[in-house]
Amino acid sequence: MEHDLDSCAVSRDQPQSAEEVAAGLREAGYLPGESAALVSYLAARLGKPILVEGPAGVGKTELARALSTYLDRRLVRLQCYEGLDEAKALYEWNYRKQLLRIQAGGAQGGWDEVQDDIFSEEFLLERPLMQAIAGTEPVVLLIDEIDKTDQEFEAMLLELLSDFQITIPELGQISATTMPIVVLTSNNSRELTEALKRRCLYLWLDYPEMEREMEIVHLHAPDLPEALTRRLVEVVRMVRALDLKKPPSIAETIDWARTLLLMGAEDIDRETFEQSMSIIVKHRTDIDLVAERVGMKLGAPTQAG
Ligand SMILES: Nc1ncnc2c1ncn2[C@@H]1O[C@H](COP(=O)(O)OP(=O)(O)O)[C@@H](O)[C@H]1O
Ligand SMILES: [Mg+2]
């Protein structure tokens, strides 16, 4: 009995199979492909970071969210951008508060005392990477769109991911007590370093197969009739097959499904398509191409007969 309880307590963080992870992610509202479930399972078991690459809007960020729900861990998110530095990613001193402390305590106590005081944890601003490492609760750490940072930042991260340790000169070393599950995402806007890839399990997410995309749409727009859902996904796939600047992603398929519901559309004929295609196609040149190639294939509006 006791043994049973024990295995129960660890089962979430130590899933027994990729199928178990797939079921857990589904329960969290995420329909994973086979490889997403497998890589997530391995990451949980091996304690290795996952690097998820793929086009925009295919569920990279959402995977991290779903993992945190499924594993019952808090999600700590670091959104990357050009120029992101350690002060915003790791920690920085709260200068304003330090200054106030210096002014307030000017009279009593020597400088040494003040100095010890203002370089204590109370004056530290913890940024996401630090929160993930210093926290007492296990977390899922999402480092989103890592390709937007520069290689210098990547190198800093690499060090952090290899020993889960941060050294603050004034405070000493802080080591992780609970291992975060790390998910890094990249939209592929630049090639990541080999060193980073070597440290991670790799997951390539692409547009899903027909049936899974229908399921995803159904999850987000359950009121859309099945026949129309199928039609919608078929048309989206037709659009994706064209050579577009920006093919529609899952996010856009979902938006379109919701739009059709609001429009009260019963079918996707040419008129409906032309009215709503800006939901899935968002570049001038793409719009022209799609209107010509896909619009033609769809039936003419009934009244124009
Ligand atoms: N496998 C999936 N299951 C459920 N919803 C999904 C799935 N993949 C994508 N989505 C939905 O698509 C949208 C875009 O996903 P997101 O993770 O933001 O894309 P990315 O980070 O790859 O750009 C989200 O609203 C998410 O709910
Ligand atoms: Mg994202």
Side-chain angles (χ1 to χ4, degrees):
M1 194 65 194
E2 217 167 34
H3 175 79
D4 267 8
L5 280 176
D6 266 7
S7 63
C8 227
V10 296
S11 71
R12 283 236 141 170
D13 252 21
Q14 294 286 304
Q16 295 306 304
S17 66
E19 290 73 33
E20 194 182 309
V21 173
L25 289 173
R26 279 173 169 267
E27 213 173 294
Y30 186 87
L31 309 182
E34 238 171 75
S35 53
L38 178 65
V39 172
S40 303
Y41 165 65
L42 292 175
R45 292 306 296 259
L46 302 175
K48 286 195 122 191
I50 309 175
L51 171 61
V52 196
E53 281 196 299
V58 292
K60 300 183 296 294
T61 303
E62 199 64 22
L63 174 63
R65 256 201 222 112
L67 272 174
S68 91
T69 307
Y70 159 51
L71 296 171
D72 202 14
R73 287 168 168 237
R74 188 165 72 91
L75 181 72
V76 176
R77 178 176 183 171
L78 175 66
Q79 173 64 53
C80 300
Y81 52 86
E82 217 184 303
L84 174 65
D85 58 10
E86 290 188 25
K88 288 288 170 284
L90 263 176
Y91 72 90
E92 65 185 322
W93 290 106
N94 189 341
Y95 300 119
R96 248 182 265 178
K97 197 169 167 187
Q98 285 177 325
L99 207 62
L100 282 174
R101 167 69 185 87
I102 294 169
Q103 285 169 347
Q108 355 94 335
W111 168 243
D112 281 347
E113 192 186 312
V114 175
Q115 193 180 20
D116 279 350
D117 194 23
I118 62 173
F119 288 111
S120 64
E121 267 172 53
E122 195 195 331
F123 295 85
L124 201 65
L125 291 172
E126 289 190 0
R127 303 303 185 196
L129 295 179
M130 176 95 182
Q131 286 169 17
I133 287 192
T136 48
E137 296 280 306
V139 301
V140 169
L141 171 62
L142 165 63
I143 301 172
D144 215 7
E145 307 187 359
I146 173 78
D147 53 325
K148 289 200 177 141
T149 63
D150 50 29
Q151 291 205 357
E152 223 171 278
F153 186 85
E154 213 183 297
M156 184 278 288
L157 206 60
L158 206 64
E159 213 181 295
L160 185 100
L161 292 182
S162 57
D163 25 344
F164 287 101
Q165 236 171 37
I166 296 173
T167 306
I168 302 177
E170 298 87 351
L171 284 181
Q173 221 169 50
I174 297 178
S175 311
T177 48
T178 59
M179 274 301 165
I181 288 183
V182 184
V183 178
L184 301 116
T185 80
S186 158
N187 284 337
N188 242 351
S189 72
R190 73 170 170 86
E191 191 64 34
L192 300 174
T193 60
E194 282 305 315
L196 183 78
K197 287 192 171 170
R198 218 178 307 128
R199 288 217 52 79
C200 299
L201 298 170
Y202 187 74
L203 175 64
W204 172 262
L205 279 191
D206 213 331
Y207 306 113
E209 328 76 69
M210 173 97 203
E211 295 300 320
R212 192 157 62 87
E213 188 157 15
M214 281 179 61
E215 247 190 290
I216 295 174
V217 171
H218 181 69
L219 188 78
H220 292 271
D223 293 336
L224 201 69
E226 195 189 329
L228 192 49
T229 303
R230 176 172 297 277
R231 178 78 170 139
L232 169 128
V233 174
E234 271 169 9
V235 175
V236 168
R237 292 170 69 87
M238 230 190 277
V239 173
R240 273 187 202 138
L242 301 173
D243 188 19
L244 299 184
K245 241 183 170 154
K246 168 74 181 70
S249 68
I250 302 178
E252 276 131 0
T253 313
I254 295 170
D255 284 344
W256 199 27
R258 290 178 175 152
T259 303
L260 292 181
L261 270 176
L262 286 176
M263 289 169 70
E266 280 167 8
D267 188 19
I268 304 177
D269 57 23
R270 197 153 134 196
E271 194 186 7
T272 313
F273 183 71
E274 278 167 4
Q275 280 170 353
S276 58
M277 64 182 273
S278 60
I279 302 288
I280 56 168
V281 193
K282 295 168 179 170
H283 276 281
R284 184 68 248 167
T285 48
D286 287 354
I287 291 177
D288 292 343
L289 186 71
V290 170
E292 189 190 311
R293 298 279 191 81
V294 179
M296 289 298 281
K297 281 193 201 163
L298 299 168
T302 31
Q303 68 269 34

